[in-house]
Amino acid sequence: MNPKSSAASRLTLACTLASALVTAPALAQTSDAPVAPPPESAPQAAPAAAPVKPDAERKQDPEALVVGAPTPESKPVFGLGSERYFINPVIAIAGGIHSENLLVNPNPQKESRITTLALARFGFEGRLGQYVTFRSEFERNIRSHGSGIWEGTASMSVRDQVLRLQRWGATVEAGIILDPASVDYFSAHIGDVLLADKYTRDPLLYSGFNRGQGVQARYSRWGFTAGLSYTEANPLSSSASYMVGGSFGGNSRFWERPLGNFRNGQPDDDIHFRVISPSLGYEHPWFEAKAMVQVLNINYQATSTEDPPIQGYNARGNVKLKLKGMVPALPFEVTPFFNVARVQNDVVNSASGYGNQLLDTSFDALTLSGGMDVFLSGRSGVGFSFTRVADHTPSFIPPTGSTPASEPVLGTQTSYFNVGATWWMFDQVALGARVATFTREIQDKPELEERDLSGFLTLRMIL
C-alpha cells in the first residue's frame, strides 16, 4: 500500500470520528427518537416491566401508617439514584388541635384543656439492587400537651432502623425491626396523628405490638406468610415488653422497672427480656387473617443466679374482610375487622422477705378490638374502632397469726373508642377529624375511675 495513501486514509478517518463525537450530543438532544440505555442498565430495567403501584395505592392499607409502605421496586418521584439503586426520603408531618375534656378523674382538681399538636417523622429508605432494601426513620414525639419541645429542643425517638434481604419469596431483616404479624387491624381513619396518641397507640401495645431491636424472617407463597421474629435484650429494647403485666417492685409495671434506677444516665440493665414469635398469615382479595404466639422469658435479675425465670405467652388472632362495590359512579370498599389477644405471665413476689419467689397466681389479660372502615372513591372515608382490655393482677398478703397467706386478684377494665373521618385532598395531604373516648374502671375502687372525651382536627402529610 502507498504510505501517502495510507496516511491520508488515517487522517480522513480521524476527522470523521472527531466530527461524530462533536455532533453526537446535539443529535441526542434534538432527535425525536428515543435514546437506547447503556448496556449495563438493560438488565436492571427488565423487572420494571411490571407496573409499580403509585404511592397512593401502596399506602391504601391502614397498616402502612405503622409498618410503612413497601419499598418501591423502582426509583420513586423524590428518589435519588438509578432505577434499582436509589435513596428516597421518608417524611410525615401532622399538626392540628386536640380538645381534651376530663369527665371523671381521680384528681378532681385536674382541668380539661385544648392543645395544639405537632408531630414529625423523617428519615430515608432505599434499594441496593434487586434483593436489598433498607429503612432508617426517626420521630419528633407528640408527648403530653406539647411537653416534648422547649427552647428549640425536641423529644426524639428512634423508629425503624432495618436492613432487609429479599429473594424467592423469603425476607430476612435485622436491626430495629417491626413484626407485621404483631400489628392489629385498625381503622385507617383514626390515624390522623399517626397513631401516636393514647387512644390509638396504647390498644396496639396492650395486644403485643412489637417494634424493637432483633432479627426476623418471613416466607410468602400462595397467599400464605410464615414468620419468625426474635428479640433478646433489655425490656426497653422492644415495645413487646409493654404487654407483660403484674407488679414488679414499687407497684410498677414490667416495662417501667428499668426506668426506676438510672446508672450513669442510663436505665437499669439488670433485667433481660426475650421474646420469640412464630406467626402465620393469609391474604386473599376478599379477606386477610393472621395468628401469632409470642413466647416470653424474663431474667428479672441478670446479676444473680438465684432468681427464678419469669415465663409467659401471648396468643393473638386477627381477621379483616375486604368488601368492594359500586354505587352510581362511586366505587367504595368496606373493611370490617376483629382482633383478639390473650397474655399470661408469671409475677414476682415483691413482698418484703419473699425475694426470689414467684406468685402462684399468674397475671392474665384479654384484649378484644374491632371496627370498620368505609372508603369512598379511594382512601377518603369514615371509620371507627373499639378496644377493651380486661386484666387481672395478683398481689400477695403475708400470713398473720392463724390467717394463711393469700394472693388477691385486682381486675381492671380499660376501653378505647374512636370515630374518625379522612379527606385526602391530594395524594400526600389529608384533613382528618376524630372523636375519641377513654375509660378505666378498677374493681372495687370507684374513686380511681377515669373517663375522658377528646376531639382532634388535624392536617397531615405522608411522603
Side-chain angles (χ1 to χ4, degrees):
M1 179 180 294
N2 190 325
K4 292 183 178 180
S5 299
S6 177
S9 299
R10 289 195 295 268
L11 179 60
T12 301
L13 177 61
C15 292
T16 302
L17 292 175
S19 176
L21 290 173
V22 172
T23 59
L27 290 173
Q29 293 175 4
T30 59
S31 175
D32 293 333
V35 180
E40 60 272 15
S41 64
Q44 297 176 5
V52 178
K53 292 183 178 181
D55 287 347
E57 293 185 32
R58 292 192 300 115
K59 296 171 182 175
Q60 171 75 31
D61 193 331
E63 286 191 15
L65 287 170
V66 178
V67 180
T71 303
E73 292 292 326
S74 59
K75 186 181 70 172
V77 175
F78 299 103
L80 298 176
S82 63
E83 284 300 297
R84 279 301 183 94
Y85 290 82
F86 62 83
I87 187 170
N88 186 53
V90 175
I91 303 174
I93 300 174
I97 298 175
H98 171 208
S99 173
E100 180 187 49
N101 184 21
L102 303 180
L103 304 177
V104 178
N105 193 273
N107 179 7
Q109 300 299 315
K110 191 173 182 179
E111 297 181 310
S112 304
R113 66 184 90 178
I114 295 177
T115 305
T116 51
L117 302 172
L119 173 71
R121 291 174 183 166
F122 56 93
F124 51 85
E125 64 178 354
R127 178 174 291 277
L128 302 175
Q130 188 174 357
Y131 309 118
V132 181
T133 61
F134 59 90
R135 184 180 180 93
S136 176
E137 185 180 6
F138 300 85
E139 178 180 277
R140 186 271 174 189
N141 299 143
I142 186 172
R143 295 300 294 267
S144 297
H145 308 105
S147 62
I149 186 169
W150 182 79
E151 289 291 335
T153 64
S155 176
M156 306 291 292
S157 64
V158 180
R159 289 170 60 85
D160 297 336
Q161 306 290 322
V162 59
L163 178 64
R164 181 181 299 113
L165 308 179
Q166 294 174 295
R167 190 173 187 180
W168 299 319
T171 301
V172 176
E173 297 178 336
I176 298 180
I177 60 174
L178 192 155
D179 190 341
S182 72
V183 183
D184 282 347
Y185 295 124
F186 58 89
S187 170
H189 304 298
I190 67 172
D192 44 1
V193 290
L194 311 181
L195 280 80
D197 60 286
K198 74 174 184 179
Y199 304 98
T200 56
R201 185 196 70 155
D202 290 3
L204 295 178
L205 292 173
Y206 277 121
S207 69
F209 174 81
N210 187 9
R211 168 184 271 124
Q213 62 192 59
V215 294
Q216 68 178 341
R218 296 189 300 276
Y219 180 73
S220 299
R221 191 176 180 87
W222 302 312
F224 289 94
T225 299
L228 180 67
S229 65
Y230 171 68
T231 292
E232 184 163 358
N234 188 283
L236 298 180
S237 69
S238 169
S239 63
S241 62
Y242 191 92
M243 64 182 169
V244 178
S247 178
F248 292 85
N251 294 321
S252 60
R253 285 179 62 90
F254 174 67
W255 67 271
E256 298 173 312
R257 183 64 182 86
L259 299 174
N261 183 26
F262 277 75
R263 300 175 182 177
N264 299 322
Q266 298 298 320
D268 192 347
D269 190 40
D270 288 347
I271 305 179
H272 200 67
F273 177 67
R274 177 194 303 150
V275 55
I276 301 175
S277 308
S279 62
L280 180 65
Y282 179 71
E283 187 170 350
H284 186 273
W286 296 348
F287 71 93
E288 296 179 22
K290 52 188 177 181
M292 164 186 271
V293 176
Q294 296 171 306
V295 182
L296 314 172
N297 187 283
I298 300 167
N299 185 348
Y300 188 64
Q301 298 182 71
T303 56
S304 173
T305 59
E306 298 181 359
D307 60 306
I310 299 173
Q311 298 178 336
Y313 70 90
N314 182 32
R316 301 167 32 87
N318 319 88
V319 64
K320 178 173 71 172
L321 302 180
K322 296 181 284 187
L323 311 175
K324 299 182 181 181
M326 176 80 73
V327 295
L330 182 64
F332 70 90
E333 182 176 356
V334 179
T335 57
F337 54 86
F338 177 75
N339 311 287
V340 60
R342 186 182 189 278
V343 61
Q344 180 175 315
N345 61 262
D346 299 327
V347 178
V348 172
N349 190 336
S350 57
S352 177
Y354 293 86
N356 298 326
Q357 295 184 26
L358 300 178
L359 297 180
D360 294 329
T361 307
S362 300
F363 168 88
D364 70 82
L366 179 65
T367 302
L368 299 173
S369 64
M372 185 172 67
D373 272 336
V374 177
F375 298 97
L376 301 173
S377 188
R379 292 183 292 164
S380 300
V382 296
F384 74 92
S385 68
F386 176 77
T387 303
R388 169 158 290 188
V389 184
D391 65 61
H392 302 90
T393 303
S395 57
F396 182 76
I397 299 178
T400 54
S402 60
T403 304
S406 61
E407 297 183 358
V409 175
L410 183 65
T412 302
Q413 287 195 350
T414 308
S415 301
Y416 305 85
F417 183 65
N418 291 267
V419 179
T422 307
W423 174 36
W424 285 92
M425 299 179 288
F426 310 101
D427 284 346
Q428 296 85 17
V429 180
L431 178 67
R434 176 165 53 107
V435 175
T437 66
F438 164 80
T439 302
R440 173 169 292 155
E441 299 173 332
I442 301 177
Q443 178 184 347
D444 300 328
K445 294 186 177 182
E447 71 278 6
L448 298 180
E449 180 184 356
E450 294 182 65
R451 283 192 291 119
D452 61 43
L453 174 66
S454 285
F456 296 85
L457 183 62
T458 60
L459 192 65
R460 71 180 183 269
M461 178 196 73
I462 300 177
L463 294 185

